[in-house]
């Protein structure tokens, strides 16, 4: 373990796993690997989708639209979703198999009813920050490793913001699961690569962390 790297665990919640209101196929299958990875990190941050019931990203709030349609809002294009991860519901709870008791911080996303929030660092208006960047800098974090759900939305947005904020950023591909909505997975990987995000596998972690420790 080392103190220059953080594992950012994105939205491993009931709502995004089989049986949830916005389930991603096979997303529960990555949880044991995420637990194993977390044991190698001293610093762990979790994100949690935490919507009010009338959130603007819900298709139900737009009578002439269906789930997965897109609309233009004040801050830009917005994919509309089924109602999911409503505050205080079972759907919003962390998946019961997630076992990371030493996580120090939970970032709740999508709390503002008028703005969606995919990234752990800032909301979709690209102005409202969560404070995560400052938290990581105060702790001397230099490297951010991202895992979770979904690769092509909240994972990708978080990773791109992390890289743009100056953190050395890695997405652990086999510890993520994507939706792939109309080619969104390939587009997300392209955008992450363009931002300087490194795509790695879980098996690569030990070598990277050891190098981090050796240069401490």
């Amino acid at each position: 373990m080392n103190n220059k790297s953080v594992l950012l665990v994105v939205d491993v919640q009931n709502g995004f796993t089989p049986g949830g209101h916005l389930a991603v196929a096979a997303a529960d299958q990555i949880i044991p690997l995420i637990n194993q990875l977390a044991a190698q990190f001293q610093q762990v941050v979790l994100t949690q989708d935490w919507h009010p019931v009338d959130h603007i990203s819900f298709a139900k709030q737009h009578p002439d639209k269906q789930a997965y349609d897109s609309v233009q809002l004040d801050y830009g294009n917005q994919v509309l979703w089924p109602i999911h991860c409503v505050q205080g519901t079972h759907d919003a709870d962390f998946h019961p198999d997630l076992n990371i008791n030493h996580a120090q911080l939970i970032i709740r996303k999508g709390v503002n009813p008028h703005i969606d929030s995919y990234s752990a660092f800032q909301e979709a208006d690209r102005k409202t920050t969560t404070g995560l960047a400052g938290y990581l800098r105060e702790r001397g974090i230099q490297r951010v490793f991202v895992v979770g759900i979904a690769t092509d939305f909240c994972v990708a947005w978080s990773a791109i913001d992390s890289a743009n904020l100056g953190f050395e950023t890695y997405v652990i591909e086999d510890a993520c699961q994507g939706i792939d909505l109309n080619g969104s997975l390939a587009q997300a990987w392209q955008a992450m690569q363009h931002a300087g995000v490194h795509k790695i596998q879980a098996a690569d972690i030990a070598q990277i962390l050891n190098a981090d420790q050796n240069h401490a």
Side-chain angles (χ1 to χ4, degrees), residues 32-102:
L33 180 57
I34 290 174
N35 289 335
Q36 292 172 24
L37 288 166
Q40 301 178 57
F41 285 81
Q42 185 176 348
Q43 312 276 350
V44 181
V45 172
L46 310 178
T47 73
Q48 187 176 23
D49 224 31
W50 196 252
H51 294 304
V53 70
D54 59 348
H55 196 264
I56 199 167
S57 71
F58 294 162
K60 187 178 179 181
Q61 299 299 118
H62 306 266
D64 58 335
K65 298 293 183 179
Q66 302 293 322
Y68 308 109
D69 286 346
S70 294
V71 295
Q72 286 295 316
L73 299 178
D74 292 343
Y75 54 82
N77 187 67
Q78 173 68 53
V79 177
L80 298 179
W81 304 106
I83 294 175
H84 66 280
C85 294
V86 171
Q87 298 169 4
T89 65
H90 173 79
D91 203 59
D93 288 344
F94 290 115
H95 192 284
D97 291 346
L98 189 69
N99 183 22
I100 310 178
N101 293 328
H102 66 290

